[in-house]
């Protein structure tokens, strides 16, 4: 029914707020027994790739765009590693306002670029990384009066809390471990705030440990060191200077959780594992979560029997190049039944 309708009571909206709705949210929470059994845990995956633009960004974008319209905004701007731009472009098209998106040139997965273009955003490829594109987008927002819809926009984070509320409603409690990929660090901050809200409303007794996973080549929070030149195959989280670093660090500390890193190889292995052994195709950044759990299990640091939720933040179809590069090639045959029989053997 859309996030604003399902959770309107708990969100800062009024009669004057436009009822923007692309039926985002209410995504599946799926139990992954084959992989979970192997790790010795009860494993659940929140399929955020099932949102209308294929990522979790829609949960926050719907409120950010509704409030921008309420405040009289005439156009939107964002910087993005791909998913924020796809989401902003989709909502801008839906409500009929222009949208400018700044992308790190050559570092955005194909599907995400296709989305921003086909939704009709003005796409600007910046010769710099995401962190630089974000600085430029902020300047443009101030100079031109454009509504900024990155997660520096507080409505994004507020509305992304709905993901935590849905998990608590589905499980009837919070998980023991909440495992989430960390880039600009907005989503981990939003989920933690969401769990705390749900507890203060009396909906759950205990809070989860927050486990934030970063790619080894883009891990300023996990290493505690700045990362001026982030690099990873998981382009969604190729970020060296997270805007929400402070709130993310306190989320992990307050919850008794941890940050950890995984290599690109571990991410790709986890992607294949999720697709071929659970039937779930998520983009590389999302798969960092499972890679993180596998790493903890190997180090004997994964509490056996724990209930863990991994947030699969984006759909695998967004980055077909990465999937095809590591997959087997199709078996080629002519057009005879004999050849087919041979191929089947
Ligand atoms: N997973 C995916 C698929 C993402 O697209 C992002 C961020 C993250 C995880 C990390 O979330 O930034 O809240 O810590 N993507 C942003 C973008 C930066 O521009 O699409 P975060």
């Amino acid at each position: 029914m859309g996030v604003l309708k399902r959770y309107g009571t708990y969100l800062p909206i009024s009669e004057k707020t436009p009822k923007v709705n692309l039926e985002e949210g209410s995504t599946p929470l799926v139990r992954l027994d084959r992989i979970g059994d192997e790790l010795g845990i009860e494993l659940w995956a929140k399929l955020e790739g099932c949102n209308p633009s294929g990522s979790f960004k829609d949960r926050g974008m719907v409120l950010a765009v509704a409030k921008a319209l309420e405040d009289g905004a005439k156009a939107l701007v964002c910087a993005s590693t791909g998913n924020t731009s796809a989401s902003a472009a989709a909502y801008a098209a839906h409500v009929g306002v222009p949208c400018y998106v700044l992308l790190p040139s050559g570092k955005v997965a194909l599907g995400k670029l296709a989305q921003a273009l086909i939704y009709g955003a003005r796409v600007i490829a910046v010769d710099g990384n995401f962190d630089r594109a974000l600085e430029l987008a902020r300047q443009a927002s101030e100079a031109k009066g454009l509504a900024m819809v990155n997660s520096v926009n507080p409505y994004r984070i507020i509305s992304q809390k709905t993901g935590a509320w849905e998990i608590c409603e589905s499980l009837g409690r919070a998980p023991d471990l909440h495992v989430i990929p960390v880039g600009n660090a907005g989503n981990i901050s939003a989920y933690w705030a969401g769990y705390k809200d749900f507890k203060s409303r009396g909906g759950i007794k205990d809070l989860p440990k927050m486990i934030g996973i970063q790619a080894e080549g883009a891990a300023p929070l996990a290493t505690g060191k700045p990362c001026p030149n982030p690099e990873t195959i998981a382009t969604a989280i190729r970020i060296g200077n997270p805007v929400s670093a402070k709130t993310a660090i306190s989320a992990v500390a307050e919850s008794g959780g941890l940050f950890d890193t995984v290599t690109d190889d571990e991410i790709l292995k986890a992607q294949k594992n999720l697709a071929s052994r659970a039937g779930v195709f998520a983009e590389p950044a999302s798969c960092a979560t499972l890679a993180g759990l596998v790493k903890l299990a190997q180090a004997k640091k994964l509490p056996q029997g724990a209930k863990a939720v991994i947030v699969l933040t984006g759909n695998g179809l967004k980055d077909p190049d990465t999937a095809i590069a590591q997959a087997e090639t199709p078996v080629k045959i002519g057009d005879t039944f004999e050849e087919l029989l041979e191929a089947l053997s």
Side-chain angles (χ1 to χ4, degrees):
M1 62 171 80
V3 160
L4 300 191
K5 194 155 183 210
R6 180 165 174 184
Y7 290 114
T9 332
Y10 302 108
L11 297 172
I13 55 175
S14 69
E15 248 115 76
K16 282 184 283 167
T17 315
K19 307 278 173 294
V20 182
N21 180 16
L22 271 177
E23 300 294 332
E24 62 290 313
S26 303
T27 55
L29 183 69
V30 182
R31 191 160 162 173
L32 310 183
D33 279 332
R34 285 182 75 192
I35 300 176
D37 288 352
E38 221 169 69
L39 294 172
I41 57 172
E42 185 185 311
L43 180 63
W44 296 82
K46 182 75 170 153
L47 304 192
E48 290 292 278
C50 295
N51 276 298
S53 83
S55 86
F56 73 96
K57 304 288 179 176
D58 296 340
R59 286 184 185 280
M61 198 58 70
V62 66
L63 182 62
V65 170
K67 296 304 277 188
L69 291 181
E70 185 179 342
D71 294 343
K74 296 283 181 284
L76 313 179
V77 68
C78 68
S80 180
T81 56
N83 281 325
T84 296
S85 56
S87 183
Y91 282 87
H94 191 67
V95 303
V97 296
C99 178
Y100 300 92
V101 309
L102 280 65
L103 306 179
S105 185
K107 294 292 183 182
V108 169
L110 191 68
K112 302 175 189 179
L113 183 59
Q115 286 183 288
L117 292 168
I118 197 75
Y119 289 134
R122 170 69 65 88
V123 176
I124 301 162
V126 177
D127 185 13
N129 61 27
F130 168 83
D131 304 284
R132 178 63 189 144
L134 185 61
E135 286 166 7
L136 290 172
R138 279 176 136 159
Q139 282 175 290
S141 156
E142 272 166 37
K144 295 276 188 185
L146 308 170
M148 178 87 180
V149 294
N150 279 103
S151 57
V152 293
N153 179 324
Y155 295 119
R156 280 274 314 278
I157 305 285
I158 291 172
S159 199
Q160 281 173 214
K161 293 193 292 187
T162 57
W165 303 345
E166 285 178 19
I167 290 172
C168 295
E169 285 173 15
S170 299
L171 295 178
R173 50 165 283 184
D176 302 308
L177 307 174
H178 178 92
V179 191
I180 186 163
V182 176
N184 217 13
N187 211 24
I188 189 170
S189 307
Y191 267 94
W192 179 239
Y195 283 120
K196 285 199 295 187
D197 279 356
F198 213 81
K199 183 165 187 243
S200 69
R201 298 206 288 263
I204 51 172
K205 283 204 303 263
D206 301 309
L207 292 165
K209 288 188 178 7
M210 301 298 287
I211 304 200
I213 307 291
Q214 297 200 291
E216 195 177 69
L221 297 179
T223 61
K225 287 185 217 132
C227 181
N229 298 304
E231 208 48 82
T232 166
I233 198 159
T235 49
I237 51 172
R238 186 176 169 273
I239 294 174
N241 184 20
V243 161
S244 300
K246 262 198 193 148
T247 43
I249 290 166
S250 31
V252 164
E254 277 176 42
S255 75
L258 54 91
F259 286 111
D260 206 348
T261 63
V262 290
T263 65
D264 281 1
D265 268 0
E266 288 167 334
I267 289 173
L268 292 176
K269 255 190 213 138
Q271 185 183 40
K272 183 117 195 257
N273 197 1
L274 277 168
S276 66
R277 300 189 56 252
V280 174
F281 184 23
E283 66 168 280
S286 310
C287 302
T289 54
L290 178 61
L293 282 180
V294 169
K295 188 176 168 187
L296 287 174
Q298 282 164 353
K300 305 253 180 293
K301 287 187 187 152
L302 193 57
Q304 294 298 285
K307 205 187 272 284
V309 171
I310 54 175
V311 186
L312 299 181
T313 44
N315 198 302
L317 293 169
K318 284 173 172 277
D319 190 355
D321 295 327
T322 302
I324 286 174
Q326 64 156 335
E328 281 176 31
T329 47
V331 178
K332 279 211 175 128
I333 61 165
D335 69 347
T336 67
F337 186 57
E338 288 70 31
E339 286 167 291
L340 174 58
L341 278 181
E342 196 171 321
L344 293 177
S345 67

